[in-house]
Amino acid sequence: MNIIYLPILALVILPSIDGHIRLTYPQARQYDFDFLTNTTTNGPCGMPEDALKTVFKTKLITGSMVHVTWHMTLLHRGDFRIQLLYRNGTIAFELTPKTFNTSDLQKGITIIQNYTVTLPQQFSCHHCILRLIYDVMERNHFHSSYAIWSCADVEIGPFSCSQLNCYNNGNINHQCTNQQSILCQCANNTTTGQRCQYQNECQTDADCNYHGRCLTINQDYNYPLKQCYCSAGFYGYKCLKNSTISVVQPDDISSYTFTKLDDNSQIWYKILRTSNEIEVIHQTKTLSWVGLGWRPRELKQSCQLFPAGAAPGLLISPINSPIENQAANQPVNHSMDCMDMVIGSARGNLFRLFDYYSRDRSTPRMDQFYGGSDSLTAAVGMEVNGTTTFRWRRNLVANERSDNTITNSLMDIIYAYGQHLPSSTHIPSLDRQGHPHYNHYYGPDQFKYHGSTNRGRLVINFFGDARLNTTPCSGSWATQCADSDCLNHLTWNVYYDGTVHFKMVSHTTKWIALGISNDKKMNNSDAVVGWFENKPVLTDRYLSGTIPYIDKKSNVYLINGSEINGVTTLNFYRFINIFDHTNDISLQGCHYFFYGVGGSVIPKYQFIYKHPTTPYISHRKICIDSQSCQQYSGPQYKTLVSDECSGRWLTGCSNGNCQSFVSWNVYNDGTIHFRLSSKTDKWVALGFSYNNEMADTDAIVAWYYNNTPTLIDSYIDKNKVLTLDAFNDVYLINSSNINGQVTYHFYRHIITGDTRTDSFLFGCYYFFLAIGGNFNPITKKIEKHPSKPSIAPVCIDTSQCTKAKPPNVGALNDSLTFDTCSGRWITGCAIGLCQNHLYWTVYKDGRIEFVMASRTDRWIAIGISDNRQMNDSDAIIAWYENGKPIISDRYLMANSSHGFAPIDPINYQNVILINSSINNGLVTFRFYRNTTTNDSQTDISLEGCHYFFFAIGGKVEGNKKITKHWSTPYISFKKICIKSSQCSEYNQVSAALHVYKEKYKWMAFITIVIIGLFH
C-alpha cells in the first residue's frame, strides 16, 4: 500500500492561528494547558480552581515587584494584559498600563514573554488570581474579541520573606531578608530561579546517566532549557531505558508498509504479531521536532472529559453550544482532540523520543503529565544532513487513558514537524530578513508551533490498508480497508475497441478522483474527478503544480453514476490513446494510479476543495497492454438508466460510441432539466407520450442555424401534425455546436401553465428521441425524420425528489421586499424566469391596490393569515372564464380544513377589479380593497402584520367550482406589515371602476364552494 500526499486541487487555506500560552511564574493553575481561550473555555481562567483537588497558591508580598514569566509556542500579533482578580473572577487591579503596547511597532508581533509588575500597596488577599491575557489580533477578524488566558492562584499579604513558599521541593532560606536575592535553596542542580520555579531535565551529562548528552535546546522560559539526548541503545527519561533496536533504518524494509505523508515526511510500519507491538519508522526533512498521532475514528467528544478535574472548565464544544452531555456523544471535532502521539527530535546520532497525549489544541504533553507512563518499548533516532529519522515500537493495547489502542480498523492519523525561521509560515508578513529575535524564536528542536504547512492528516489501517490486483487487461484496487471491508474500490477493464472502462466506488458524498502519473509526482499528472450533486458529474483534468485545471476538451465519458446511502459510484470510460498529448496521459504502458477522496464541490464553477486525507498511490506501476485485449468485446451496458428523479438514455450506440443521448434530473422546485445531445446538423426532438404512439404527443424540437440555437415547444396532434404551442413552456439554459455535436440544456416545469398541449411529467410515459429532417428557421416547419424515432419507458415521481435542489445557472431567486406602504413578492423562480408576481401599494385613506400575476391558465389566489395556517384565513381568488376575468372575496373558516372556502356574502364582497390581461401565458389581475373593510367576520384587517399566501389552481369547472391547487401554496417567510397612516394620498380610480363594482355584485350572490384551497 502506498499513501502519498498528492493534492488533486489547490485549496485556499484560511490562517488557523490559535493561542498557546501558559504562565511559568507564578505557577499556572493546574492543569496548565496553553490553549485556554475565551471562546472555548469558561471564565475567568478556563481551568477550574480545584482541578487537582488541592490548590497551590504562590505567596507574594504586598507592594512588591513580581517578575511574571510565561511561555508561548508561537509568535502573535497583539498585546498582553496582566490583571489581579478576586477569587470570584472580578477584576481588582490592572497591573499593566491600559495603553501598554508590547508588540513590535513595525510588524505588530508580540515577542515578550516576561514582565515585571508592582503589586498594589495596602492590598491583601487570602486567595486571589493573577491572570495573563493575550489579545490575539490574527483571530479578531473571526471573533469580536479573541483572547487567551492563563491564571495563577496567589496569596498576597505583608509577609516576611521567610513566610514565602518555594517550588519543586525547594526550602526557604530562613535567614533571608526581603532584599536578599537567594530566597530558596533548591533541592538539586537542575532547578533554578529565586523560588526554584524553573526545572531543567539535566545540568551535565551525568544527569543523563552517561547514556547521552545534556544539550541546551530551548530559550526564554520554555523549560526545561536543558534536555537529555540519548545515544543508540538507550531511550526514555534521562536515557534510563535500554532499547532492543539500535539501527534507525534496516537494510531490508520490504516487510514494512510505506506511506508518504507529504513531500517532506514519510513512514514505514508493520505489526509485530508475536510481541503484539507496532514498529514505525518515521523520516522527515527537518532540523526540528517530529510527531505522529493516532486515534480510533469512532471516538466521541466524551474522551475530553479526561482528565476529570479539568473537564468542567474545558468545554467540549465552543461556548453557547449544546450542553456537555449532549456534545459528549458527538464525534470529536478537531484533528488534535484525544490523540495518542509519539514526538521527538534528534541531533546527529543523539535523540529524544517520548509518548505524548493531545487532549485538545493545547500543546501535547508527555503521558506522565496526565498520571500515565511512557508506552514506548524501544526507540532510536538520528539526524543526518537535515533529515530526521526515528524508529520506535510500542504495544498495540492501551492500558491508560492517555493512550489509544491500535486496532485492525481505520484510524485517524495526524503528523507534524517543527518550523524554523525564516521559513516560518504562520505569520505571512514576518520580516524574513528581519528582527534577530524572530530568527531565533523557532530554533532547531524547540517544541513550538508547526506552522500551517508542516502538518497533515490521513486515515490508515496499520494492519494492512490496500489491495491491488492487475492483469494487462483488467484490475482492481481497494483502499481504506479494515479486514474484508474497504471504503474505496476501483476496477477497470480494457476492450478491443481501444477503451478502458472504469468504475469508482467510495463511501463518501464528496468528490472522488482517479489520477495517472508517470513518476508518483503530483505535477504533470492526468486526473478524472467526479461527484454526485443531484446528478453524476465527471471532469477531465490535468495537474499543473498543485492546481487541477479542467481540460479544454474532455476525453472521459460518463456512463452512469449514483449516490445511495452515502456511497458514490461513477462508471465511465476513456480511450487508451487520445489526441490531447498536452493534458492527457496515454494509458498504454505502465503508470502509477492514485485515488483521492474530497473535499466539497461548488457545482456551479466545478470548483473542488482540497481532500481532507492524503490520496492513495499504487505501490507499483499498473501496466495496460491493449494488444493483449483484442479478444474482449465492449460492455453491453444498458442504454437507459433511470430512477424516479433522474435518468440517462443513449441511442444509436455501437462499440461504445452513441449518436444521441438525453439526460434529465427532477428538482424540488417543480422543474425537470434536460440535456439533449446528438451528432447531427438536422433538427433533434424529445417527445412525451402516454401510449407509445406519436399522435397526441408533447414534443420539444431544437436545431442550430447560423450558429444560433432554436428551441420550440410543440404538440403532435391526432393527425401526427406538429404545431407550435400557444404558450412556450420550455426554457433554453445554454447550448453548443462543436464538431457536429449539438447539445441543448433546457428545462420545463413538471406541470406547466398549458393544460391543453403540454404533458404533466408525473408518472410513467414513453420518451421519444427523434432526429430530422431538414427545417425552415423562418416558418419553424420541419420535415419528417428519415429514420424511426427511439422509444423508451420512463417513470417520474416528484415526491421522491424533495431533496434535489435545482442548479444555480443564473436564476432569479424568490424574493420578498416591503415597507409599510408597498411591497413586492416574487416566487417560483428558476433559470431567470419567475412564475408568480405580487405587488401592492397602500394609500393614506386605507386603500391597498394589488397586482397579482402568474404564468398559468388556472385560478390564482392570495391569502392573508395571522399564523401561517389555512384555517381562519382571508383569501382573494381570480381566474379567466370564457375570456372574462372573475375575482371573488372568500374566507377559509375553521371547519374548512378539508378544503372548502365559501365566498363572502354579497354585501361583503370588498375586492374591486381594476383591470386584467393575458399576455403570452402570463395572466395578470389588478384590483384593490380597503385595508379595513366593513366585514369584521370574514375579512382580516390588513393594518398591522400578517403572513401572505400565494396559490395556483386547480382548474375551474362548471358552476364556478375550482379544483385543488396542484402544488403547495407559497407562504411569506415573515409577516408583512402595513400602516396606511404613514402612506401617501390615494390617486382616485376612474368612475368606470364603480360601474364595474355594481356589475360585479350580482356575480357574488351564489356561494361557491372552493375545494382544496391552501390545503
Side-chain angles (χ1 to χ4, degrees), residues 853-864:
S854 182
R855 296 182 182 276
T856 184
D857 59 352
R858 304 178 182 88
W859 59 259
I860 59 176
I862 63 168
I864 301 97

Side-chain angles (χ1 to χ4, degrees), residues 537-692:
V537 178
L538 196 72
T539 59
D540 193 0
R541 300 176 182 245
Y542 186 76
L543 279 77
S544 177
T546 61
I547 302 175
Y549 294 103
I550 297 178
D551 293 359
K552 291 182 179 179
K553 176 174 174 55
S554 176
N555 288 302
V556 294
Y557 304 94
L558 180 70
I559 298 172
N560 54 52
S562 64
E563 189 269 294
I564 301 173
N565 296 328
V567 178
T568 297
T569 301
L570 296 173
N571 285 287
F572 62 95
Y573 72 92
R574 60 156 283 184
F575 287 90
I576 294 174
N577 296 305
I578 36 49
F579 296 104
D580 185 358
H581 301 297
T582 302
N583 296 329
D584 285 335
I585 294 177
S586 170
L587 291 176
Q588 181 70 24
C590 301
H591 307 83
Y592 293 102
F593 280 11
F594 62 81
Y595 196 102
V597 180
S600 298
V601 179
I602 302 178
K604 179 180 180 180
Y605 304 105
Q606 295 190 338
F607 178 84
I608 51 178
Y609 285 97
K610 184 179 179 180
H611 41 76
T613 58
T614 306
Y616 293 84
I617 188 166
S618 57
H619 63 270
R620 57 180 170 83
K621 285 188 174 181
I622 294 170
C623 298
I624 290 175
D625 181 9
S626 61
Q627 297 301 315
S628 302
C629 310
Q630 295 299 311
Q631 69 273 29
Y632 299 110
S633 60
Q636 299 299 315
Y637 56 83
K638 292 183 178 180
T639 58
L640 173 65
V641 179
S642 67
D643 57 24
E644 296 89 343
C645 301
S646 64
R648 189 175 192 270
W649 180 28
L650 299 93
T651 64
C653 299
S654 176
N655 292 330
N657 291 313
C658 300
Q659 181 182 10
S660 307
F661 78 86
V662 61
S663 62
W664 59 93
N665 287 275
V666 182
Y667 297 107
N668 60 8
D669 64 344
T671 62
I672 180 169
H673 291 231
F674 293 95
R675 186 178 295 274
L676 176 63
S677 184
S678 185
K679 296 175 182 177
T680 184
D681 60 353
K682 310 299 183 181
W683 59 259
V684 60
L686 179 66
F688 316 108
S689 170
Y690 288 104
N691 55 11
N692 199 16

